[in-house]
Amino acid sequence: MLTDLNIDGRIVYPTDADWDAAHQAFNVRVDQRPLAMVFPANEDDVVTIVNHARERGLRIAPQATAHNAGAYHSLDDTIVVQTSDLQDISIDPGARRVRVGSGVKWERVAPDLSNHGLAGLHGSSPDVGIAGYSLGGGIGWLARKYGMQTNSVTALELVTADGRLRRVDAENEPDLFWALRGGNGNYGIVTAIEFAVYPVEELYSGALFFPFARASEVLHTWRELLPTFPDELMTWANILHFPPLPEIPEPFRGGSFTIVMGAYLGEEPEGRELLRRLRDLGPEIDTFAMNPPSELAELAMDPPDPLPFVSGHELLEELPGSLLDDLLEIAGPESGSGTSLTMFQLRHMGGALARRSPGAGARATLPGEVNLFTLGVAEDDDAARAIEARIERLVEAGRPYQAGHYPNFVEEPADARAFFDAETWQRLREVKALYDSRDLFMGNHYIPPAERAQQAA
Ligand SMILES: Cc1cc2nc3c(=O)[nH]c(=O)nc-3n(C[C@H](O)[C@H](O)[C@H](O)COP(=O)(O)OP(=O)(O)OC[C@H]3O[C@@H](n4cnc5c(N)ncnc54)[C@H](O)[C@@H]3O)c2cc1C
């Protein structure tokens, strides 16, 4: 089917011996079933692939690492083009600019940036690809101060449906640049990303670990403190059940904890004062210290390897005490959930996440005071169903306060128009129609070209 496609990179079909590894998603419950997985070795390959697919009426789903592969509605008649082999990195510390190939994960740049006294706006896991994270939003430890990563993107290089390699930025093809920053893989195959990074020599970061049983008092204290936290402080309140795996160190292995994690762009005395009420509760373990920004990559203790899971998420306008009680009734120590919800996480939002900066793209801000994200590791379908039911109860409890959804945290098929206001959605469709009227590209959260969307409506 792609027999006359000649590229330096790899093409892997479902019948090939290396199919399992090639089509593996980070969530191993997701079984991607495209016609083929294609791994371009360079930009010329990307141009060849785009021309080939267009001429044969195939569709392309661009991908970097398959961390959000569960969102596609269907990959029928589609090739997944994974840019994981585009691994160039150049860092200009003086200009505080980074340019990476679109297969680069945060773990390859965060340590070098840190050595230069700089930090990028990565999220909880260093294993996530810069491409999908940046094209969909990107909420990390510094987001209340510097906003989403997508606002820090200064240029994108991509191959569009006509087979042209373009570099777009605020001056060159500004509409496409606007749409890409939020519109994910619907506009072309991104080959490189340029973005701004920030001066951070050190910051006060760490985690306060409490027993799971104390979830209510710890999370209520955290909730009460939120209005007092400056934009320089980001905190996430978690319930985490660590699996009993040998690679997990004691005393965490097999343990259940209530944890407040945080990163403060400032000095230790002020940081300690901001967290005083939480520390006064007497954590079992306190890892807060002045750290280089490289430490942020490990702060959330995200799993480094693919695993089977079911996740759920919603943005909450606010977190009143009564809602927190309701959520804990479903996920807390008295809930009977045991360890089925491996992670229950409340991220503080607001600050720069709520402020639109001049020249921002389609996804400039996110609403809500708190971001609820939860997941359960599901070894089989029965476990998955039980987790889904509990997640549905959490989402239902939050519904009266629901402010929306953050697409990068939506890991199942969804109607992407719900992620944008009507005006932004319309403009995204119009830019799509301008650059990809025949709908060659399909992002994980799909945006149809304007005319097609109107016909469908
Ligand atoms: C363990 C884990 C931790 C996470 N932590 C955070 C966090 O702290 N903050 C946060 O904001 N998000 C977080 N996420 C969500 C993450 O931002 C999304 O999963 C994101 O889509 C991942 O991007 P990717 O490139 O790695 O994944 P992919 O699945 O490869 O890409 C996702 C989508 O991005 C687009 N895309 C990717 N590469 C290209 C390309 N080369 N050209 C065009 N389009 C492309 C496509 O639409 C693709 O479907 C986390 C996810 C996981 C699994």
Side-chain angles (χ1 to χ4, degrees), residues 26 62-68 72 83 102 123-125 129 131-133 135 138-139 184-185 188-190 302 347 406 408-409 443-444:
F26 183 77
Q63 210 169 68
T65 69
H67 269 72
N68 191 318
Y72 298 113
T83 56
S102 59
S124 59
S125 170
Y133 182 85
L135 296 170
I139 313 170
N184 65 74
I189 301 179
V190 171
D302 272 8
R347 291 190 186 193
Y406 166 44
N408 277 18
F409 278 175
N444 50 344

PDB file of all heavy atoms in Angstrom, residues 26 62-68 72 83 102 123-125 129 131-133 135 138-139 184-185 188-190 302 347 406 408-409 443-444, ligand 1:
ATOM      1  N   PHE A  26       1.802   5.285  24.921  1.00  0.00           N
ATOM      2  CA  PHE A  26       2.202   5.353  26.335  1.00  0.00           C
ATOM      3  C   PHE A  26       1.167   4.633  27.203  1.00  0.00           C
ATOM      4  O   PHE A  26       1.510   3.950  28.150  1.00  0.00           O
ATOM      5  CB  PHE A  26       2.366   6.812  26.787  1.00  0.00           C
ATOM      6  CG  PHE A  26       2.847   6.906  28.201  1.00  0.00           C
ATOM      7  CD1 PHE A  26       4.174   6.669  28.515  1.00  0.00           C
ATOM      8  CD2 PHE A  26       1.953   7.179  29.241  1.00  0.00           C
ATOM      9  CE1 PHE A  26       4.625   6.707  29.833  1.00  0.00           C
ATOM     10  CE2 PHE A  26       2.393   7.216  30.559  1.00  0.00           C
ATOM     11  CZ  PHE A  26       3.731   6.987  30.848  1.00  0.00           C
ATOM     12  N   PRO A  62      -0.296  13.006  12.589  1.00  0.00           N
ATOM     13  CA  PRO A  62       1.074  13.268  13.070  1.00  0.00           C
ATOM     14  C   PRO A  62       1.183  12.951  14.563  1.00  0.00           C
ATOM     15  O   PRO A  62       0.227  13.146  15.315  1.00  0.00           O
ATOM     16  CB  PRO A  62       1.265  14.771  12.836  1.00  0.00           C
ATOM     17  CG  PRO A  62       0.066  15.246  12.091  1.00  0.00           C
ATOM     18  CD  PRO A  62      -1.018  14.271  12.350  1.00  0.00           C
ATOM     19  N   GLN A  63       2.336  12.485  14.940  1.00  0.00           N
ATOM     20  CA  GLN A  63       2.537  12.085  16.331  1.00  0.00           C
ATOM     21  C   GLN A  63       4.013  12.248  16.683  1.00  0.00           C
ATOM     22  O   GLN A  63       4.857  12.187  15.797  1.00  0.00           O
ATOM     23  CB  GLN A  63       2.160  10.602  16.445  1.00  0.00           C
ATOM     24  CG  GLN A  63       1.632  10.160  17.758  1.00  0.00           C
ATOM     25  CD  GLN A  63       1.046   8.762  17.683  1.00  0.00           C
ATOM     26  OE1 GLN A  63       1.789   7.798  17.487  1.00  0.00           O
ATOM     27  NE2 GLN A  63      -0.255   8.640  17.820  1.00  0.00           N
ATOM     28  N   ALA A  64       4.301  12.432  17.961  1.00  0.00           N
ATOM     29  CA  ALA A  64       5.705  12.535  18.376  1.00  0.00           C
ATOM     30  C   ALA A  64       6.104  11.349  19.246  1.00  0.00           C
ATOM     31  O   ALA A  64       7.088  10.651  18.971  1.00  0.00           O
ATOM     32  CB  ALA A  64       5.935  13.843  19.118  1.00  0.00           C
ATOM     33  N   THR A  65       5.325  11.110  20.327  1.00  0.00           N
ATOM     34  CA  THR A  65       5.693  10.049  21.286  1.00  0.00           C
ATOM     35  C   THR A  65       4.537   9.115  21.613  1.00  0.00           C
ATOM     36  O   THR A  65       4.715   8.174  22.383  1.00  0.00           O
ATOM     37  CB  THR A  65       6.123  10.666  22.635  1.00  0.00           C
ATOM     38  OG1 THR A  65       4.951  11.237  23.247  1.00  0.00           O
ATOM     39  CG2 THR A  65       7.177  11.748  22.479  1.00  0.00           C
ATOM     40  N   ALA A  66       3.340   9.428  21.108  1.00  0.00           N
ATOM     41  CA  ALA A  66       2.120   8.638  21.408  1.00  0.00           C
ATOM     42  C   ALA A  66       1.724   8.704  22.880  1.00  0.00           C
ATOM     43  O   ALA A  66       1.216   7.742  23.441  1.00  0.00           O
ATOM     44  CB  ALA A  66       2.276   7.194  20.949  1.00  0.00           C
ATOM     45  N   HIS A  67       1.943   9.859  23.514  1.00  0.00           N
ATOM     46  CA  HIS A  67       1.457  10.027  24.890  1.00  0.00           C
ATOM     47  C   HIS A  67      -0.037  10.334  24.930  1.00  0.00           C
ATOM     48  O   HIS A  67      -0.666  10.210  25.965  1.00  0.00           O
ATOM     49  CB  HIS A  67       2.236  11.142  25.608  1.00  0.00           C
ATOM     50  CG  HIS A  67       3.442  10.628  26.331  1.00  0.00           C
ATOM     51  ND1 HIS A  67       4.562  10.204  25.675  1.00  0.00           N
ATOM     52  CD2 HIS A  67       3.698  10.443  27.648  1.00  0.00           C
ATOM     53  CE1 HIS A  67       5.464   9.799  26.565  1.00  0.00           C
ATOM     54  NE2 HIS A  67       4.953   9.925  27.767  1.00  0.00           N
ATOM     55  N   ASN A  68      -0.580  10.815  23.826  1.00  0.00           N
ATOM     56  CA  ASN A  68      -2.033  11.062  23.804  1.00  0.00           C
ATOM     57  C   ASN A  68      -2.636  10.376  22.580  1.00  0.00           C
ATOM     58  O   ASN A  68      -3.267  11.003  21.731  1.00  0.00           O
ATOM     59  CB  ASN A  68      -2.333  12.569  23.793  1.00  0.00           C
ATOM     60  CG  ASN A  68      -3.814  12.843  24.042  1.00  0.00           C
ATOM     61  OD1 ASN A  68      -4.679  12.155  23.499  1.00  0.00           O
ATOM     62  ND2 ASN A  68      -4.122  13.829  24.852  1.00  0.00           N
ATOM     63  N   TYR A  72      -7.873   9.662  19.285  1.00  0.00           N
ATOM     64  CA  TYR A  72      -8.351   9.559  17.897  1.00  0.00           C
ATOM     65  C   TYR A  72      -9.702   8.847  17.838  1.00  0.00           C
ATOM     66  O   TYR A  72      -9.905   7.826  18.502  1.00  0.00           O
ATOM     67  CB  TYR A  72      -7.372   8.759  17.031  1.00  0.00           C
ATOM     68  CG  TYR A  72      -6.012   9.382  16.913  1.00  0.00           C
ATOM     69  CD1 TYR A  72      -4.906   8.768  17.478  1.00  0.00           C
ATOM     70  CD2 TYR A  72      -5.837  10.579  16.222  1.00  0.00           C
ATOM     71  CE1 TYR A  72      -3.642   9.342  17.378  1.00  0.00           C
ATOM     72  CE2 TYR A  72      -4.577  11.148  16.114  1.00  0.00           C
ATOM     73  CZ  TYR A  72      -3.485  10.530  16.696  1.00  0.00           C
ATOM     74  OH  TYR A  72      -2.250  11.090  16.599  1.00  0.00           O
ATOM     75  N   THR A  83       7.227  11.455  14.504  1.00  0.00           N
ATOM     76  CA  THR A  83       8.460  12.212  14.246  1.00  0.00           C
ATOM     77  C   THR A  83       9.526  11.967  15.317  1.00  0.00           C
ATOM     78  O   THR A  83      10.408  12.796  15.528  1.00  0.00           O
ATOM     79  CB  THR A  83       8.148  13.724  14.153  1.00  0.00           C
ATOM     80  OG1 THR A  83       7.480  14.130  15.358  1.00  0.00           O
ATOM     81  CG2 THR A  83       7.266  14.041  12.961  1.00  0.00           C
ATOM     82  N   SER A 102      10.950  17.792  16.238  1.00  0.00           N
ATOM     83  CA  SER A 102       9.644  17.539  16.861  1.00  0.00           C
ATOM     84  C   SER A 102       9.528  16.155  17.511  1.00  0.00           C
ATOM     85  O   SER A 102       8.448  15.797  17.978  1.00  0.00           O
ATOM     86  CB  SER A 102       8.531  17.718  15.823  1.00  0.00           C
ATOM     87  OG  SER A 102       8.731  16.828  14.741  1.00  0.00           O
ATOM     88  N   GLY A 123       6.030  19.864  31.920  1.00  0.00           N
ATOM     89  CA  GLY A 123       5.036  19.460  32.906  1.00  0.00           C
ATOM     90  C   GLY A 123       5.576  18.420  33.859  1.00  0.00           C
ATOM     91  O   GLY A 123       6.770  18.401  34.171  1.00  0.00           O
ATOM     92  N   SER A 124       4.691  17.541  34.301  1.00  0.00           N
ATOM     93  CA  SER A 124       5.051  16.605  35.363  1.00  0.00           C
ATOM     94  C   SER A 124       6.034  15.547  34.891  1.00  0.00           C
ATOM     95  O   SER A 124       6.847  15.068  35.670  1.00  0.00           O
ATOM     96  CB  SER A 124       3.783  15.923  35.884  1.00  0.00           C
ATOM     97  OG  SER A 124       3.122  15.231  34.832  1.00  0.00           O
ATOM     98  N   SER A 125       5.944  15.156  33.602  1.00  0.00           N
ATOM     99  CA  SER A 125       6.766  14.037  33.154  1.00  0.00           C
ATOM    100  C   SER A 125       7.797  14.472  32.117  1.00  0.00           C
ATOM    101  O   SER A 125       7.434  15.006  31.069  1.00  0.00           O
ATOM    102  CB  SER A 125       5.869  12.959  32.532  1.00  0.00           C
ATOM    103  OG  SER A 125       6.673  11.988  31.898  1.00  0.00           O
ATOM    104  N   GLY A 129       6.553  14.408  24.999  1.00  0.00           N
ATOM    105  CA  GLY A 129       7.146  15.082  23.851  1.00  0.00           C
ATOM    106  C   GLY A 129       6.874  16.581  23.875  1.00  0.00           C
ATOM    107  O   GLY A 129       5.772  17.014  24.233  1.00  0.00           O
ATOM    108  N   ALA A 131       6.538  18.370  21.317  1.00  0.00           N
ATOM    109  CA  ALA A 131       5.622  18.718  20.222  1.00  0.00           C
ATOM    110  C   ALA A 131       4.161  18.740  20.672  1.00  0.00           C
ATOM    111  O   ALA A 131       3.500  19.785  20.658  1.00  0.00           O
ATOM    112  CB  ALA A 131       5.814  17.762  19.050  1.00  0.00           C
ATOM    113  N   GLY A 132       3.641  17.589  21.072  1.00  0.00           N
ATOM    114  CA  GLY A 132       2.223  17.523  21.434  1.00  0.00           C
ATOM    115  C   GLY A 132       1.900  18.410  22.619  1.00  0.00           C
ATOM    116  O   GLY A 132       0.830  19.035  22.678  1.00  0.00           O
ATOM    117  N   TYR A 133       2.829  18.455  23.584  1.00  0.00           N
ATOM    118  CA  TYR A 133       2.649  19.294  24.776  1.00  0.00           C
ATOM    119  C   TYR A 133       2.488  20.757  24.362  1.00  0.00           C
ATOM    120  O   TYR A 133       1.577  21.457  24.804  1.00  0.00           O
ATOM    121  CB  TYR A 133       3.881  19.090  25.652  1.00  0.00           C
ATOM    122  CG  TYR A 133       3.919  19.810  26.979  1.00  0.00           C
ATOM    123  CD1 TYR A 133       3.325  19.256  28.104  1.00  0.00           C
ATOM    124  CD2 TYR A 133       4.599  21.025  27.111  1.00  0.00           C
ATOM    125  CE1 TYR A 133       3.397  19.906  29.336  1.00  0.00           C
ATOM    126  CE2 TYR A 133       4.677  21.670  28.332  1.00  0.00           C
ATOM    127  CZ  TYR A 133       4.066  21.112  29.450  1.00  0.00           C
ATOM    128  OH  TYR A 133       4.145  21.758  30.655  1.00  0.00           O
ATOM    129  N   LEU A 135       1.796  22.007  21.257  1.00  0.00           N
ATOM    130  CA  LEU A 135       0.728  22.280  20.285  1.00  0.00           C
ATOM    131  C   LEU A 135      -0.650  22.246  20.945  1.00  0.00           C
ATOM    132  O   LEU A 135      -1.621  22.769  20.391  1.00  0.00           O
ATOM    133  CB  LEU A 135       0.775  21.269  19.130  1.00  0.00           C
ATOM    134  CG  LEU A 135       2.042  21.319  18.271  1.00  0.00           C
ATOM    135  CD1 LEU A 135       2.101  20.140  17.313  1.00  0.00           C
ATOM    136  CD2 LEU A 135       2.116  22.631  17.491  1.00  0.00           C
ATOM    137  N   GLY A 138       0.143  22.828  27.485  1.00  0.00           N
ATOM    138  CA  GLY A 138       1.347  22.615  28.283  1.00  0.00           C
ATOM    139  C   GLY A 138       1.318  23.333  29.620  1.00  0.00           C
ATOM    140  O   GLY A 138       1.713  24.494  29.713  1.00  0.00           O
ATOM    141  N   ILE A 139       0.838  22.613  30.650  1.00  0.00           N
ATOM    142  CA  ILE A 139       0.777  23.207  32.001  1.00  0.00           C
ATOM    143  C   ILE A 139       1.838  22.564  32.872  1.00  0.00           C
ATOM    144  O   ILE A 139       1.737  21.374  33.207  1.00  0.00           O
ATOM    145  CB  ILE A 139      -0.570  22.922  32.697  1.00  0.00           C
ATOM    146  CG1 ILE A 139      -1.754  23.186  31.790  1.00  0.00           C
ATOM    147  CG2 ILE A 139      -0.701  23.717  33.980  1.00  0.00           C
ATOM    148  CD1 ILE A 139      -3.055  22.668  32.396  1.00  0.00           C
ATOM    149  N   ASN A 184      -3.194  21.622  17.666  1.00  0.00           N
ATOM    150  CA  ASN A 184      -2.409  20.373  17.598  1.00  0.00           C
ATOM    151  C   ASN A 184      -2.122  19.902  16.172  1.00  0.00           C
ATOM    152  O   ASN A 184      -1.747  20.704  15.339  1.00  0.00           O
ATOM    153  CB  ASN A 184      -2.970  19.307  18.547  1.00  0.00           C
ATOM    154  CG  ASN A 184      -4.371  18.806  18.199  1.00  0.00           C
ATOM    155  OD1 ASN A 184      -4.550  18.056  17.246  1.00  0.00           O
ATOM    156  ND2 ASN A 184      -5.346  19.218  18.988  1.00  0.00           N
ATOM    157  N   GLY A 185      -2.288  18.636  15.866  1.00  0.00           N
ATOM    158  CA  GLY A 185      -1.767  18.097  14.598  1.00  0.00           C
ATOM    159  C   GLY A 185      -2.708  18.206  13.417  1.00  0.00           C
ATOM    160  O   GLY A 185      -2.576  17.439  12.462  1.00  0.00           O
ATOM    161  N   GLY A 188      -0.639  20.098   9.804  1.00  0.00           N
ATOM    162  CA  GLY A 188       0.561  19.663   9.105  1.00  0.00           C
ATOM    163  C   GLY A 188       1.414  18.816  10.028  1.00  0.00           C
ATOM    164  O   GLY A 188       1.054  18.569  11.182  1.00  0.00           O
ATOM    165  N   ILE A 189       2.540  18.371   9.495  1.00  0.00           N
ATOM    166  CA  ILE A 189       3.495  17.631  10.335  1.00  0.00           C
ATOM    167  C   ILE A 189       4.572  18.608  10.775  1.00  0.00           C
ATOM    168  O   ILE A 189       5.341  19.125   9.947  1.00  0.00           O
ATOM    169  CB  ILE A 189       4.130  16.457   9.567  1.00  0.00           C
ATOM    170  CG1 ILE A 189       3.043  15.491   9.076  1.00  0.00           C
ATOM    171  CG2 ILE A 189       5.132  15.733  10.463  1.00  0.00           C
ATOM    172  CD1 ILE A 189       3.581  14.313   8.272  1.00  0.00           C
ATOM    173  N   VAL A 190       4.598  18.878  12.055  1.00  0.00           N
ATOM    174  CA  VAL A 190       5.602  19.792  12.595  1.00  0.00           C
ATOM    175  C   VAL A 190       6.936  19.055  12.632  1.00  0.00           C
ATOM    176  O   VAL A 190       7.013  17.911  13.094  1.00  0.00           O
ATOM    177  CB  VAL A 190       5.183  20.278  14.003  1.00  0.00           C
ATOM    178  CG1 VAL A 190       6.309  21.062  14.665  1.00  0.00           C
ATOM    179  CG2 VAL A 190       3.918  21.132  13.908  1.00  0.00           C
ATOM    180  N   ASP A 302       6.147  10.890  38.149  1.00  0.00           N
ATOM    181  CA  ASP A 302       5.343  10.227  37.118  1.00  0.00           C
ATOM    182  C   ASP A 302       6.027   8.945  36.669  1.00  0.00           C
ATOM    183  O   ASP A 302       7.256   8.861  36.664  1.00  0.00           O
ATOM    184  CB  ASP A 302       5.195  11.150  35.890  1.00  0.00           C
ATOM    185  CG  ASP A 302       4.003  12.074  36.031  1.00  0.00           C
ATOM    186  OD1 ASP A 302       3.397  12.097  37.117  1.00  0.00           O
ATOM    187  OD2 ASP A 302       3.685  12.778  35.064  1.00  0.00           O
ATOM    188  N   ARG A 347      -4.589  20.329  40.692  1.00  0.00           N
ATOM    189  CA  ARG A 347      -3.537  21.314  40.400  1.00  0.00           C
ATOM    190  C   ARG A 347      -4.100  22.716  40.562  1.00  0.00           C
ATOM    191  O   ARG A 347      -5.186  23.014  40.046  1.00  0.00           O
ATOM    192  CB  ARG A 347      -3.041  21.192  38.956  1.00  0.00           C
ATOM    193  CG  ARG A 347      -2.282  19.950  38.666  1.00  0.00           C
ATOM    194  CD  ARG A 347      -1.624  20.030  37.286  1.00  0.00           C
ATOM    195  NE  ARG A 347      -1.005  18.760  36.955  1.00  0.00           N
ATOM    196  CZ  ARG A 347      -0.160  18.573  35.954  1.00  0.00           C
ATOM    197  NH1 ARG A 347       0.164  19.588  35.163  1.00  0.00           N
ATOM    198  NH2 ARG A 347       0.366  17.395  35.715  1.00  0.00           N
ATOM    199  N   TYR A 406      -9.209  20.662  29.550  1.00  0.00           N
ATOM    200  CA  TYR A 406      -7.906  20.952  28.954  1.00  0.00           C
ATOM    201  C   TYR A 406      -7.590  19.797  27.993  1.00  0.00           C
ATOM    202  O   TYR A 406      -7.404  18.661  28.434  1.00  0.00           O
ATOM    203  CB  TYR A 406      -6.866  21.074  30.074  1.00  0.00           C
ATOM    204  CG  TYR A 406      -5.435  21.045  29.612  1.00  0.00           C
ATOM    205  CD1 TYR A 406      -5.025  21.775  28.493  1.00  0.00           C
ATOM    206  CD2 TYR A 406      -4.480  20.308  30.305  1.00  0.00           C
ATOM    207  CE1 TYR A 406      -3.701  21.749  28.075  1.00  0.00           C
ATOM    208  CE2 TYR A 406      -3.157  20.273  29.908  1.00  0.00           C
ATOM    209  CZ  TYR A 406      -2.781  20.988  28.786  1.00  0.00           C
ATOM    210  OH  TYR A 406      -1.475  20.954  28.374  1.00  0.00           O
ATOM    211  N   ASN A 408      -5.171  18.498  26.346  1.00  0.00           N
ATOM    212  CA  ASN A 408      -4.035  17.578  26.523  1.00  0.00           C
ATOM    213  C   ASN A 408      -4.296  16.544  27.621  1.00  0.00           C
ATOM    214  O   ASN A 408      -3.636  15.505  27.665  1.00  0.00           O
ATOM    215  CB  ASN A 408      -2.753  18.338  26.868  1.00  0.00           C
ATOM    216  CG  ASN A 408      -2.070  18.884  25.635  1.00  0.00           C
ATOM    217  OD1 ASN A 408      -2.698  18.997  24.585  1.00  0.00           O
ATOM    218  ND2 ASN A 408      -0.799  19.237  25.754  1.00  0.00           N
ATOM    219  N   PHE A 409      -5.245  16.835  28.509  1.00  0.00           N
ATOM    220  CA  PHE A 409      -5.576  15.865  29.560  1.00  0.00           C
ATOM    221  C   PHE A 409      -6.774  14.998  29.165  1.00  0.00           C
ATOM    222  O   PHE A 409      -7.195  14.157  29.951  1.00  0.00           O
ATOM    223  CB  PHE A 409      -5.875  16.572  30.876  1.00  0.00           C
ATOM    224  CG  PHE A 409      -4.638  16.955  31.667  1.00  0.00           C
ATOM    225  CD1 PHE A 409      -4.747  17.698  32.835  1.00  0.00           C
ATOM    226  CD2 PHE A 409      -3.377  16.568  31.264  1.00  0.00           C
ATOM    227  CE1 PHE A 409      -3.623  18.052  33.572  1.00  0.00           C
ATOM    228  CE2 PHE A 409      -2.245  16.912  31.987  1.00  0.00           C
ATOM    229  CZ  PHE A 409      -2.362  17.663  33.150  1.00  0.00           C
ATOM    230  N   GLY A 443      -5.529  15.711  13.751  1.00  0.00           N
ATOM    231  CA  GLY A 443      -4.944  15.819  15.088  1.00  0.00           C
ATOM    232  C   GLY A 443      -5.641  14.855  16.030  1.00  0.00           C
ATOM    233  O   GLY A 443      -6.704  14.312  15.712  1.00  0.00           O
ATOM    234  N   ASN A 444      -5.042  14.658  17.200  1.00  0.00           N
ATOM    235  CA  ASN A 444      -5.693  13.790  18.192  1.00  0.00           C
ATOM    236  C   ASN A 444      -7.079  14.342  18.542  1.00  0.00           C
ATOM    237  O   ASN A 444      -8.038  13.591  18.680  1.00  0.00           O
ATOM    238  CB  ASN A 444      -4.818  13.606  19.440  1.00  0.00           C
ATOM    239  CG  ASN A 444      -4.302  14.917  20.006  1.00  0.00           C
ATOM    240  OD1 ASN A 444      -4.320  15.963  19.340  1.00  0.00           O
ATOM    241  ND2 ASN A 444      -3.841  14.890  21.236  1.00  0.00           N
TER     242      ASN A 444
HETATM  243  C1  LIG B   1       2.639  10.708  32.055  1.00  0.00           C
HETATM  244  C2  LIG B   1       2.063  11.959  31.474  1.00  0.00           C
HETATM  245  C3  LIG B   1       2.257  13.170  32.117  1.00  0.00           C
HETATM  246  C4  LIG B   1       1.743  14.351  31.588  1.00  0.00           C
HETATM  247  N1  LIG B   1       1.929  15.540  32.260  1.00  0.00           N
HETATM  248  C5  LIG B   1       1.456  16.681  31.731  1.00  0.00           C
HETATM  249  C6  LIG B   1       1.624  17.932  32.395  1.00  0.00           C
HETATM  250  O1  LIG B   1       2.184  18.004  33.483  1.00  0.00           O
HETATM  251  N2  LIG B   1       1.139  19.043  31.808  1.00  0.00           N
HETATM  252  C7  LIG B   1       0.502  19.007  30.604  1.00  0.00           C
HETATM  253  O2  LIG B   1       0.107  20.053  30.115  1.00  0.00           O
HETATM  254  N3  LIG B   1       0.319  17.843  29.965  1.00  0.00           N
HETATM  255  C8  LIG B   1       0.758  16.692  30.505  1.00  0.00           C
HETATM  256  N4  LIG B   1       0.513  15.508  29.871  1.00  0.00           N
HETATM  257  C9  LIG B   1      -0.310  15.520  28.675  1.00  0.00           C
HETATM  258  C10 LIG B   1       0.528  15.821  27.437  1.00  0.00           C
HETATM  259  O3  LIG B   1       0.680  17.216  27.314  1.00  0.00           O
HETATM  260  C11 LIG B   1      -0.206  15.285  26.200  1.00  0.00           C
HETATM  261  O4  LIG B   1      -0.320  13.896  26.311  1.00  0.00           O
HETATM  262  C12 LIG B   1       0.523  15.662  24.919  1.00  0.00           C
HETATM  263  O5  LIG B   1      -0.371  15.533  23.854  1.00  0.00           O
HETATM  264  C13 LIG B   1       1.720  14.772  24.695  1.00  0.00           C
HETATM  265  O6  LIG B   1       2.412  15.159  23.555  1.00  0.00           O
HETATM  266  P1  LIG B   1       3.332  14.092  22.825  1.00  0.00           P
HETATM  267  O7  LIG B   1       3.923  14.753  21.676  1.00  0.00           O
HETATM  268  O8  LIG B   1       4.229  13.467  23.837  1.00  0.00           O
HETATM  269  O9  LIG B   1       2.250  12.974  22.443  1.00  0.00           O
HETATM  270  P2  LIG B   1       1.676  12.520  21.010  1.00  0.00           P
HETATM  271  O10 LIG B   1       0.591  11.552  21.345  1.00  0.00           O
HETATM  272  O11 LIG B   1       2.754  12.044  20.139  1.00  0.00           O
HETATM  273  O12 LIG B   1       1.070  13.824  20.390  1.00  0.00           O
HETATM  274  C14 LIG B   1      -0.161  14.338  20.797  1.00  0.00           C
HETATM  275  C15 LIG B   1      -0.743  15.127  19.651  1.00  0.00           C
HETATM  276  O13 LIG B   1       0.077  16.260  19.383  1.00  0.00           O
HETATM  277  C16 LIG B   1       0.119  16.494  17.979  1.00  0.00           C
HETATM  278  N5  LIG B   1       1.482  16.249  17.496  1.00  0.00           N
HETATM  279  C17 LIG B   1       2.469  15.573  18.090  1.00  0.00           C
HETATM  280  N6  LIG B   1       3.576  15.592  17.343  1.00  0.00           N
HETATM  281  C18 LIG B   1       3.265  16.276  16.229  1.00  0.00           C
HETATM  282  C19 LIG B   1       3.994  16.638  15.058  1.00  0.00           C
HETATM  283  N7  LIG B   1       5.255  16.302  14.878  1.00  0.00           N
HETATM  284  N8  LIG B   1       3.345  17.381  14.116  1.00  0.00           N
HETATM  285  C20 LIG B   1       2.059  17.756  14.273  1.00  0.00           C
HETATM  286  N9  LIG B   1       1.349  17.427  15.359  1.00  0.00           N
HETATM  287  C21 LIG B   1       1.933  16.704  16.328  1.00  0.00           C
HETATM  288  C22 LIG B   1      -0.852  15.510  17.349  1.00  0.00           C
HETATM  289  O14 LIG B   1      -2.144  16.071  17.283  1.00  0.00           O
HETATM  290  C23 LIG B   1      -0.811  14.384  18.333  1.00  0.00           C
HETATM  291  O15 LIG B   1      -1.948  13.547  18.256  1.00  0.00           O
HETATM  292  C24 LIG B   1       1.005  14.312  30.396  1.00  0.00           C
HETATM  293  C25 LIG B   1       0.778  13.095  29.741  1.00  0.00           C
HETATM  294  C26 LIG B   1       1.295  11.927  30.275  1.00  0.00           C
HETATM  295  C27 LIG B   1       1.014  10.636  29.578  1.00  0.00           C
END
